Amino acid sequence: MGPVFAVVLVFVGCCSNVVFLELLVRDFPGCGNIVTFAQFVFIALEGFIFETNFGRKKPAIPISNYVIMVTMFFTVSVINNYALNFNIAMPLHMIFRSGSLIANMILGIIILKKRYSASKYLSIALVSAGIFICTIMSAKQVNVSNEGSEDQGFYNFMHWLIGIAMLTFALLMSARMGIFQETLYKKYGKHSKEALFYNHCLPLPGFLLLSTNIYNHCVLFSQSTPTLIPGVELTVPIMWIYLLINVITQYVCIRGVFILTTECASLTVTLVVTLRKFLSLIFSIIYFQNPFTTWHWVGTAVVFVGTLLYTEVWSSVRAALRGPDAKEKKAE
Protein backbone atom coordinates (compact mmCIF):
# COMPACT_ATOMS: atom_id res chain seq x y z
CA MET A 1 0.00 0.00 0.00
CA GLY A 2 2.83 2.40 0.90
CA PRO A 3 4.73 2.42 -2.43
CA VAL A 4 1.51 2.42 -4.50
CA PHE A 5 0.19 5.36 -2.47
CA ALA A 6 3.52 7.17 -2.94
CA VAL A 7 3.43 6.68 -6.73
CA VAL A 8 -0.12 8.11 -6.80
CA LEU A 9 1.05 11.13 -4.76
CA VAL A 10 3.99 11.74 -7.12
CA PHE A 11 1.92 11.56 -10.31
CA VAL A 12 -1.12 13.48 -9.03
CA GLY A 13 0.92 16.05 -7.09
CA CYS A 14 3.64 16.75 -9.65
CA CYS A 15 1.44 16.73 -12.75
CA SER A 16 -1.11 19.05 -11.07
CA ASN A 17 1.76 21.27 -9.92
CA VAL A 18 2.98 21.72 -13.51
CA VAL A 19 -0.52 22.66 -14.66
CA PHE A 20 -0.98 25.41 -12.07
CA LEU A 21 2.59 26.67 -12.53
CA GLU A 22 1.88 27.10 -16.24
CA LEU A 23 -1.40 28.89 -15.46
CA LEU A 24 0.57 31.32 -13.27
CA VAL A 25 3.43 31.78 -15.74
CA ARG A 26 1.11 32.36 -18.70
CA ASP A 27 -0.38 35.51 -17.14
CA PHE A 28 2.71 36.62 -15.20
CA PRO A 29 5.94 35.23 -16.76
CA GLY A 30 8.08 36.82 -14.02
CA CYS A 31 6.25 35.23 -11.08
CA GLY A 32 8.89 32.55 -10.43
CA ASN A 33 10.16 34.23 -7.24
CA ILE A 34 6.80 34.47 -5.49
CA VAL A 35 6.03 30.84 -6.43
CA THR A 36 9.37 29.66 -5.02
CA PHE A 37 8.91 31.76 -1.86
CA ALA A 38 5.40 30.40 -1.22
CA GLN A 39 6.57 26.79 -1.68
CA PHE A 40 9.52 27.30 0.68
CA VAL A 41 7.38 28.93 3.39
CA PHE A 42 4.74 26.17 3.27
CA ILE A 43 7.23 23.27 3.40
CA ALA A 44 9.37 24.99 6.06
CA LEU A 45 6.31 25.61 8.26
CA GLU A 46 5.16 21.99 7.92
CA GLY A 47 8.68 20.73 8.75
CA PHE A 48 9.00 23.08 11.74
CA ILE A 49 5.81 21.65 13.26
CA PHE A 50 6.06 17.95 12.39
CA GLU A 51 9.79 17.28 11.86
CA THR A 52 11.57 19.49 14.42
CA ASN A 53 8.68 19.54 16.93
CA PHE A 54 8.66 23.35 17.04
CA GLY A 55 12.47 23.52 17.09
CA ARG A 56 12.95 21.13 20.01
CA LYS A 57 14.50 18.30 17.98
CA LYS A 58 18.22 18.65 17.23
CA PRO A 59 19.41 17.92 13.65
CA ALA A 60 21.28 14.64 13.01
CA ILE A 61 23.48 16.38 10.41
CA PRO A 62 25.48 19.48 11.55
CA ILE A 63 23.91 22.81 10.60
CA SER A 64 27.17 23.92 8.90
CA ASN A 65 26.69 21.18 6.30
CA TYR A 66 23.09 22.21 5.78
CA VAL A 67 24.20 25.80 5.16
CA ILE A 68 26.36 24.61 2.23
CA MET A 69 23.57 22.39 0.89
CA VAL A 70 20.98 25.13 1.32
CA THR A 71 23.09 27.68 -0.55
CA MET A 72 23.17 25.33 -3.53
CA PHE A 73 19.49 24.35 -3.21
CA PHE A 74 18.31 27.98 -2.95
CA THR A 75 20.43 28.97 -5.96
CA VAL A 76 19.08 26.09 -8.07
CA SER A 77 15.42 26.75 -7.14
CA VAL A 78 15.55 30.50 -7.77
CA ILE A 79 17.50 30.20 -11.05
CA ASN A 80 15.22 27.45 -12.40
CA ASN A 81 12.11 29.55 -11.78
CA TYR A 82 13.73 32.83 -12.83
CA ALA A 83 14.80 31.29 -16.15
CA LEU A 84 11.11 31.35 -17.17
CA ASN A 85 11.52 35.15 -17.53
CA PHE A 86 13.88 34.61 -20.49
CA ASN A 87 11.60 33.27 -23.25
CA ILE A 88 11.97 29.69 -21.99
CA ALA A 89 8.84 27.66 -22.85
CA MET A 90 7.57 25.28 -20.17
CA PRO A 91 8.13 22.11 -22.31
CA LEU A 92 11.78 23.06 -22.94
CA HIS A 93 12.15 23.87 -19.24
CA MET A 94 10.97 20.34 -18.34
CA ILE A 95 13.12 18.64 -21.00
CA PHE A 96 16.21 20.50 -19.83
CA ARG A 97 15.66 19.55 -16.20
CA SER A 98 15.27 15.89 -17.17
CA GLY A 99 19.01 15.89 -17.89
CA SER A 100 19.74 15.91 -14.13
CA LEU A 101 20.70 12.20 -14.09
CA ILE A 102 23.33 12.77 -16.74
CA ALA A 103 24.72 15.92 -15.11
CA ASN A 104 25.02 13.98 -11.85
CA MET A 105 26.85 11.19 -13.63
CA ILE A 106 29.33 13.53 -15.33
CA LEU A 107 30.18 15.29 -12.06
CA GLY A 108 30.44 11.88 -10.36
CA ILE A 109 33.11 10.91 -12.89
CA ILE A 110 35.00 14.21 -12.39
CA ILE A 111 34.66 14.64 -8.60
CA LEU A 112 34.18 11.13 -7.18
CA LYS A 113 36.29 9.39 -9.90
CA LYS A 114 33.46 6.94 -10.57
CA ARG A 115 33.49 4.60 -13.55
CA TYR A 116 30.41 3.36 -15.40
CA SER A 117 29.45 0.70 -17.94
CA ALA A 118 29.24 1.33 -21.69
CA SER A 119 25.41 1.52 -21.49
CA LYS A 120 25.69 4.41 -19.02
CA TYR A 121 27.97 6.37 -21.37
CA LEU A 122 25.57 5.66 -24.25
CA SER A 123 22.74 7.06 -22.13
CA ILE A 124 24.76 10.26 -21.63
CA ALA A 125 25.07 10.65 -25.39
CA LEU A 126 21.35 10.01 -25.96
CA VAL A 127 20.09 12.42 -23.30
CA SER A 128 22.57 15.11 -24.38
CA ALA A 129 21.50 14.66 -28.03
CA GLY A 130 17.81 14.84 -27.11
CA ILE A 131 18.25 18.05 -25.11
CA PHE A 132 20.38 19.52 -27.92
CA ILE A 133 17.69 18.75 -30.55
CA CYS A 134 14.92 20.33 -28.46
CA THR A 135 17.07 23.36 -27.64
CA ILE A 136 17.98 23.99 -31.29
CA MET A 137 14.34 23.66 -32.38
CA SER A 138 13.26 26.09 -29.65
CA ALA A 139 15.98 28.52 -30.77
CA LYS A 140 14.54 28.44 -34.30
CA GLN A 141 11.07 29.18 -32.92
CA VAL A 142 12.43 32.22 -31.05
CA ASN A 143 13.96 33.50 -34.31
CA VAL A 144 10.84 32.80 -36.42
CA SER A 145 8.51 34.53 -33.95
CA ASN A 146 10.60 37.71 -34.17
CA GLU A 147 11.22 37.98 -37.92
CA GLY A 148 9.41 41.34 -38.17
CA SER A 149 12.08 43.36 -36.36
CA GLU A 150 15.72 42.33 -36.78
CA ASP A 151 16.95 44.25 -33.72
CA GLN A 152 14.08 43.00 -31.57
CA GLY A 153 14.60 39.45 -32.85
CA PHE A 154 18.31 39.54 -31.97
CA TYR A 155 17.52 40.94 -28.51
CA ASN A 156 14.94 38.22 -27.84
CA PHE A 157 17.31 35.51 -29.04
CA MET A 158 20.13 36.76 -26.74
CA HIS A 159 17.57 36.97 -23.93
CA TRP A 160 16.66 33.32 -24.62
CA LEU A 161 20.35 32.30 -24.62
CA ILE A 162 20.72 33.78 -21.13
CA GLY A 163 17.80 31.60 -20.04
CA ILE A 164 19.49 28.51 -21.51
CA ALA A 165 22.74 29.40 -19.71
CA MET A 166 20.79 29.74 -16.44
CA LEU A 167 19.15 26.32 -16.90
CA THR A 168 22.54 24.75 -17.67
CA PHE A 169 24.13 26.29 -14.57
CA ALA A 170 21.18 25.17 -12.40
CA LEU A 171 21.40 21.64 -13.83
CA LEU A 172 25.10 21.33 -12.96
CA MET A 173 24.64 22.97 -9.55
CA SER A 174 21.79 20.55 -8.78
CA ALA A 175 24.02 17.60 -9.71
CA ARG A 176 26.80 18.95 -7.47
CA MET A 177 24.31 19.26 -4.63
CA GLY A 178 23.27 15.63 -5.19
CA ILE A 179 26.88 14.47 -4.84
CA PHE A 180 27.28 16.58 -1.69
CA GLN A 181 24.12 15.00 -0.24
CA GLU A 182 25.41 11.54 -1.12
CA THR A 183 28.62 12.10 0.84
CA LEU A 184 26.66 13.52 3.81
CA TYR A 185 24.25 10.57 3.91
CA LYS A 186 27.16 8.13 3.82
CA LYS A 187 28.69 9.85 6.82
CA TYR A 188 25.63 10.66 8.95
CA GLY A 189 22.94 8.31 7.59
CA LYS A 190 19.82 9.17 5.59
CA HIS A 191 17.65 11.91 7.06
CA SER A 192 15.57 12.91 4.03
CA LYS A 193 12.74 14.65 5.88
CA GLU A 194 15.15 16.60 8.06
CA ALA A 195 17.07 17.69 4.94
CA LEU A 196 13.78 18.69 3.29
CA PHE A 197 12.97 20.99 6.23
CA TYR A 198 16.39 22.67 6.47
CA ASN A 199 16.65 23.03 2.68
CA HIS A 200 13.43 25.07 2.75
CA CYS A 201 13.79 26.86 6.11
CA LEU A 202 17.37 28.18 6.08
CA PRO A 203 17.10 29.96 2.68
CA LEU A 204 14.06 32.04 3.72
CA PRO A 205 16.15 35.14 4.69
CA GLY A 206 17.62 35.04 1.15
CA PHE A 207 14.22 36.01 -0.25
CA LEU A 208 14.75 39.48 1.24
CA LEU A 209 16.97 40.09 -1.80
CA LEU A 210 13.92 39.37 -3.97
CA SER A 211 11.39 41.17 -1.75
CA THR A 212 10.62 43.95 -4.25
CA ASN A 213 9.85 41.48 -7.02
CA ILE A 214 7.76 39.33 -4.66
CA TYR A 215 5.79 42.36 -3.39
CA ASN A 216 5.13 43.61 -6.94
CA HIS A 217 3.70 40.22 -7.87
CA CYS A 218 1.59 40.18 -4.69
CA VAL A 219 0.02 43.40 -5.95
CA LEU A 220 -0.44 41.99 -9.46
CA PHE A 221 -1.96 38.76 -8.12
CA SER A 222 -4.39 40.79 -5.99
CA GLN A 223 -5.51 42.68 -9.11
CA SER A 224 -6.30 39.47 -11.03
CA THR A 225 -9.87 38.35 -11.82
CA PRO A 226 -11.95 37.83 -8.63
CA THR A 227 -13.34 34.29 -8.31
CA LEU A 228 -16.09 33.11 -5.99
CA ILE A 229 -15.12 30.07 -3.90
CA PRO A 230 -18.15 27.73 -3.72
CA GLY A 231 -19.48 26.89 -0.27
CA VAL A 232 -17.72 29.67 1.67
CA GLU A 233 -19.08 32.53 -0.46
CA LEU A 234 -15.68 34.21 -0.47
CA THR A 235 -14.28 36.12 -3.45
CA VAL A 236 -10.52 35.66 -4.02
CA PRO A 237 -8.32 36.80 -6.94
CA ILE A 238 -7.81 33.80 -9.25
CA MET A 239 -3.99 34.02 -9.16
CA TRP A 240 -3.93 33.50 -5.38
CA ILE A 241 -6.06 30.38 -5.83
CA TYR A 242 -3.66 29.08 -8.50
CA LEU A 243 -0.70 29.81 -6.22
CA LEU A 244 -2.28 28.03 -3.24
CA ILE A 245 -3.04 24.92 -5.31
CA ASN A 246 0.48 25.02 -6.79
CA VAL A 247 2.02 25.10 -3.31
CA ILE A 248 -0.16 22.25 -2.00
CA THR A 249 0.50 20.05 -5.05
CA GLN A 250 4.24 20.74 -4.77
CA TYR A 251 4.13 19.52 -1.18
CA VAL A 252 2.14 16.42 -2.18
CA CYS A 253 4.72 15.68 -4.89
CA ILE A 254 7.70 16.05 -2.55
CA ARG A 255 6.03 13.93 0.13
CA GLY A 256 5.40 11.22 -2.45
CA VAL A 257 9.05 11.22 -3.51
CA PHE A 258 10.09 11.06 0.16
CA ILE A 259 7.88 8.01 0.82
CA LEU A 260 9.27 6.34 -2.31
CA THR A 261 12.89 6.88 -1.23
CA THR A 262 12.19 5.18 2.10
CA GLU A 263 10.22 2.23 0.70
CA CYS A 264 11.64 1.55 -2.78
CA ALA A 265 14.99 1.07 -4.49
CA SER A 266 16.59 4.16 -6.02
CA LEU A 267 16.02 2.66 -9.50
CA THR A 268 12.25 2.61 -8.88
CA VAL A 269 12.28 6.20 -7.61
CA THR A 270 14.24 7.38 -10.66
CA LEU A 271 11.90 5.57 -13.05
CA VAL A 272 8.74 6.97 -11.40
CA VAL A 273 10.10 10.54 -11.41
CA THR A 274 11.20 10.18 -15.07
CA LEU A 275 7.78 8.87 -16.16
CA ARG A 276 6.14 11.70 -14.21
CA LYS A 277 8.23 14.29 -16.07
CA PHE A 278 7.36 12.69 -19.40
CA LEU A 279 3.60 12.70 -18.66
CA SER A 280 3.77 16.28 -17.36
CA LEU A 281 5.48 17.32 -20.60
CA ILE A 282 2.87 15.64 -22.82
CA PHE A 283 0.01 17.10 -20.77
CA SER A 284 1.55 20.58 -20.96
CA ILE A 285 1.83 20.32 -24.75
CA ILE A 286 -1.69 18.98 -25.34
CA TYR A 287 -3.67 20.95 -22.74
CA PHE A 288 -1.93 24.31 -23.19
CA GLN A 289 -1.22 23.78 -26.92
CA ASN A 290 2.43 24.70 -26.52
CA PRO A 291 4.34 24.79 -29.85
CA PHE A 292 5.93 21.38 -30.29
CA THR A 293 7.34 20.23 -33.64
CA THR A 294 8.16 16.72 -34.86
CA TRP A 295 11.79 17.35 -33.93
CA HIS A 296 10.74 18.23 -30.40
CA TRP A 297 9.00 14.85 -30.17
CA VAL A 298 12.14 13.15 -31.52
CA GLY A 299 14.30 14.96 -28.94
CA THR A 300 11.89 14.11 -26.13
CA ALA A 301 11.84 10.44 -27.13
CA VAL A 302 15.66 10.32 -27.25
CA VAL A 303 15.87 11.90 -23.75
CA PHE A 304 13.33 9.41 -22.44
CA VAL A 305 15.06 6.36 -23.97
CA GLY A 306 18.44 7.58 -22.70
CA THR A 307 17.08 7.99 -19.17
CA LEU A 308 15.52 4.51 -19.22
CA LEU A 309 18.84 3.11 -20.48
CA TYR A 310 20.64 4.84 -17.62
CA THR A 311 18.28 3.35 -15.02
CA GLU A 312 18.73 -0.12 -16.59
CA VAL A 313 14.97 -0.61 -16.83
CA TRP A 314 15.34 -2.98 -19.79
CA SER A 315 17.63 -5.28 -17.78
CA SER A 316 15.29 -5.19 -14.78
CA VAL A 317 12.25 -6.05 -16.94
CA ARG A 318 14.11 -8.93 -18.63
CA ALA A 319 15.29 -10.24 -15.25
CA ALA A 320 11.76 -10.04 -13.85
CA LEU A 321 10.30 -11.88 -16.87
CA ARG A 322 12.76 -14.76 -16.67
CA GLY A 323 12.94 -14.70 -12.87
CA PRO A 324 11.18 -18.00 -12.16
CA ASP A 325 13.27 -19.88 -14.76
CA ALA A 326 16.48 -18.44 -13.39
CA LYS A 327 15.54 -19.47 -9.87
CA GLU A 328 14.76 -23.03 -10.98
CA LYS A 329 18.11 -23.33 -12.76
CA LYS A 330 19.92 -22.11 -9.65
CA ALA A 331 18.04 -24.64 -7.51
CA GLU A 332 19.15 -27.48 -9.83
Side-chain angles (χ1 to χ4, degrees):
M1 185 68 181
V4 174
F5 179 66
V7 170
V8 171
L9 286 181
V10 171
F11 277 90
V12 173
C14 296
C15 291
S16 303
N17 179 260
V18 169
V19 171
F20 286 96
L21 177 60
E22 181 130 11
L23 287 170
L24 288 164
V25 169
R26 288 220 152 189
D27 285 345
F28 299 100
C31 70
N33 291 331
I34 190 174
V35 172
T36 308
F37 176 67
Q39 291 174 351
F40 274 51
V41 168
F42 184 87
I43 294 172
L45 184 62
E46 187 275 342
F48 180 72
I49 297 169
F50 297 105
E51 171 59 22
T52 69
N53 193 19
F54 295 94
R56 289 194 286 265
K57 180 184 173 184
K58 290 185 178 180
I61 298 174
I63 291 291
S64 58
N65 288 314
Y66 276 125
V67 170
I68 298 170
M69 191 191 303
V70 158
T71 303
M72 291 189 278
F73 183 71
F74 177 77
T75 304
V76 168
S77 297
V78 170
I79 289 179
N80 267 328
N81 282 332
Y82 200 65
L84 293 168
N85 295 6
F86 292 82
N87 295 336
I88 301 293
M90 187 61 74
L92 179 62
H93 193 271
M94 286 188 279
I95 292 165
F96 225 92
R97 292 179 70 175
S98 66
S100 56
L101 263 179
I102 306 307
N104 189 277
M105 181 178 169
I106 292 170
L107 289 187
I109 293 169
I110 297 170
I111 298 171
L112 301 178
K113 309 299 180 186
K114 288 185 176 180
R115 291 294 174 264
Y116 299 92
S117 63
S119 64
K120 291 287 196 291
Y121 291 114
L122 177 60
S123 72
I124 284 185
L126 287 173
V127 173
S128 301
I131 291 175
F132 179 75
I133 291 169
C134 290
T135 305
I136 291 298
M137 289 302 107
S138 296
K140 286 184 177 180
Q141 286 178 348
V142 171
N143 283 335
V144 168
S145 64
N146 295 291
E147 278 183 347
S149 169
E150 196 172 314
D151 290 339
Q152 184 65 25
F154 177 76
Y155 170 79
N156 285 336
F157 180 67
M158 294 306 295
H159 206 229
W160 177 84
L161 280 181
I162 293 171
I164 292 296
M166 291 172 73
L167 285 178
T168 304
F169 176 80
L171 190 67
L172 293 172
M173 177 67 81
S174 177
R176 182 65 187 90
M177 183 179 73
I179 291 173
F180 183 70
Q181 283 177 317
E182 188 180 326
T183 56
L184 281 184
Y185 290 158
K186 279 182 181 177
K187 187 174 181 181
Y188 298 102
K190 287 191 176 182
H191 302 280
S192 303
K193 202 172 178 192
E194 178 185 288
L196 183 66
F197 165 68
Y198 284 104
N199 277 343
H200 287 82
C201 179
L202 294 180
L204 289 178
F207 284 100
L208 288 171
L209 300 171
L210 309 169
S211 57
T212 303
N213 180 273
I214 292 170
Y215 174 76
N216 289 339
H217 279 89
C218 283
V219 174
L220 291 171
F221 278 21
S222 298
Q223 294 171 350
S224 61
T225 308
T227 303
L228 183 67
I229 300 176
V232 293
E233 309 237 340
L234 183 67
T235 302
V236 179
I238 189 67
M239 284 296 142
W240 285 114
I241 296 174
Y242 289 160
L243 181 63
L244 176 63
I245 299 173
N246 174 270
V247 167
I248 293 171
T249 52
Q250 173 72 2
Y251 174 73
V252 169
C253 177
I254 287 180
R255 283 290 293 153
V257 172
F258 168 72
I259 295 169
L260 271 181
T261 56
T262 56
E263 300 206 18
C264 302
S266 59
L267 173 64
T268 307
V269 178
T270 305
L271 177 59
V272 169
V273 171
T274 303
L275 288 172
R276 190 276 303 169
K277 286 179 181 177
F278 190 66
L279 286 178
S280 297
L281 175 65
I282 292 173
F283 187 83
S284 172
I285 294 160
I286 296 171
Y287 185 79
F288 291 102
Q289 298 181 335
N290 282 309
F292 217 69
T293 65
T294 304
W295 281 106
H296 280 97
W297 283 112
V298 170
T300 303
V302 171
V303 170
F304 190 61
V305 170
T307 305
L308 292 180
L309 182 63
Y310 180 91
T311 56
E312 297 177 350
V313 170
W314 317 119
S315 303
S316 300
V317 170
R318 280 200 302 269
L321 290 174
R322 62 169 182 255
D325 296 332
K327 285 179 182 178
E328 284 174 17
K329 285 180 182 177
K330 282 183 182 179
E332 289 172 5

